[in-house]
Amino acid sequence: GQNIDQPTEMTATEGAIVQINCTYQTSGFNGLFWYQQHAGEAPTFLSYNVLDGLEEKGRFSSFLSRSKGYSYLLLKELQMKDSASYLCAPLDSNYQLIWGAGTKLIIKP
Amino acid sequence: GAVVSQHPSRVICKSGTSVKIECRSLDFQATTMFWYRQFPKQSLMLMATSNEGSKATYEQGVEKDKFLINHASLTLSTLTVTSAHPEDSSFYICSARRQENSPLHFGNGTRLTVT
């Protein structure tokens, strides 16, 4: 079957760094997306990894290891507005996005 | 960046009436559009996948006669909730992508309340 595993909730301090881990099992693999979703809003695209390694985009970086079925999203210099849910979504062999429940990130001052 | 427009953002309707939600990709042609539903504090649930000019593919448990999807062009898809009931109250979100391995870009969602 297809499965996504992310922590349900994480708490971090403003200005700090946080790493949100994701492990996945899919039927085939065509890359992995990370999305941010604020409460009551639609998701917004953050990053896409298809090859192993780290992709950096400003304060956010995303890492992928295909052999381990593992990805993480790294958020630096945390701001209060980063409080949101972060969704890890791999793309399977049929190019269908598989959605997990996401990780709710709470930022404290 | 890619923009997907969804209207209306919020709608309140009476039980038994129908509601149409529009989804447009404003600056790209979307080969595929997706319709999701999300209940409070729950995951995104894919309802159907829509390809331009062909019938939508519905996920298991989603009634195709209740949730009518029309994908008339490469930039427009509509979802009509027919004979709405209070249990249909939810957050409906459309998304679109250029091609298979492109990111999904989401509309702002439609919050439907059926009284």
Side-chain angles (χ1 to χ4, degrees):
Chain A
Q2 313 209 87
N3 186 57
I4 313 294
D5 193 21
Q6 295 180 241
T8 304
E9 188 172 297
M10 298 181 70
T11 303
T13 305
E14 190 176 15
I17 299 173
V18 72
Q19 178 174 312
I20 302 174
N21 296 322
C22 169
T23 56
Y24 62 88
Q25 291 177 309
T26 56
S27 302
F29 181 77
N30 281 297
L32 185 143
F33 294 90
W34 281 94
Y35 283 83
Q36 179 191 61
Q37 186 176 24
H38 285 100
E41 297 181 12
T44 55
F45 167 70
L46 290 178
S47 68
Y48 173 57
N49 294 65
V50 64
L51 299 176
D52 291 350
L54 189 67
E55 293 277 344
E56 297 187 72
K57 195 186 285 187
R59 293 189 299 116
F60 294 2
S61 303
S62 55
F63 172 84
L64 176 67
S65 168
R66 289 171 296 172
S67 62
K68 295 181 180 178
Y70 167 68
S71 175
Y72 69 71
L73 181 69
L74 190 72
L75 293 78
K76 302 176 184 175
E77 301 169 21
L78 286 169
Q79 301 174 9
M80 296 304 292
K81 67 178 183 180
D82 297 330
S83 291
S85 287
Y86 291 86
L87 310 172
C88 162
L91 203 57
D92 71 9
S93 58
N94 294 320
Y95 292 94
Q96 295 289 332
L97 270 179
I98 311 302
W99 295 96
T103 298
K104 182 179 180 181
L105 177 64
I106 299 168
I107 310 297
K108 295 186 174 179
Chain B
V3 178
V4 176
S5 173
Q6 184 174 344
H7 293 282
S9 58
R10 192 177 293 268
V11 59
I12 300 172
C13 71
K14 291 186 177 179
S15 189
T17 60
S18 295
V19 172
K20 181 187 279 190
I21 303 169
E22 276 194 2
C23 180
R24 292 179 185 272
S25 56
L26 296 184
D27 56 355
F28 67 99
Q29 292 189 324
T31 56
T32 309
M33 289 185 168
F34 302 85
W35 287 95
Y36 287 88
R37 179 166 54 180
Q38 189 172 37
F39 293 103
K41 299 186 180 180
Q42 293 190 21
S43 307
L44 285 170
M45 289 172 44
L46 179 64
M47 298 176 68
T49 301
S50 172
N51 292 296
E52 184 264 340
S54 62
K55 289 184 180 179
T57 302
Y58 290 81
E59 295 298 301
Q60 195 170 12
V62 178
E63 298 174 57
K64 63 179 182 181
D65 294 330
K66 179 169 182 63
F67 299 100
L68 301 178
I69 291 172
N70 183 277
H71 195 154
S73 73
L74 284 170
T75 60
L76 173 64
S77 178
T78 61
L79 167 68
T80 302
V81 182
T82 62
S83 187
H85 291 287
E87 57 265 32
D88 297 325
S89 298
S90 188
F91 189 45
Y92 292 85
I93 318 172
C94 75
S95 63
R97 65 184 182 190
R98 283 187 177 87
Q99 53 193 38
E100 289 178 324
N101 61 349
S102 300
L104 277 187
H105 296 282
F106 288 86
N108 287 333
T110 297
R111 193 160 302 283
L112 171 64
T113 303
V114 185
T115 60

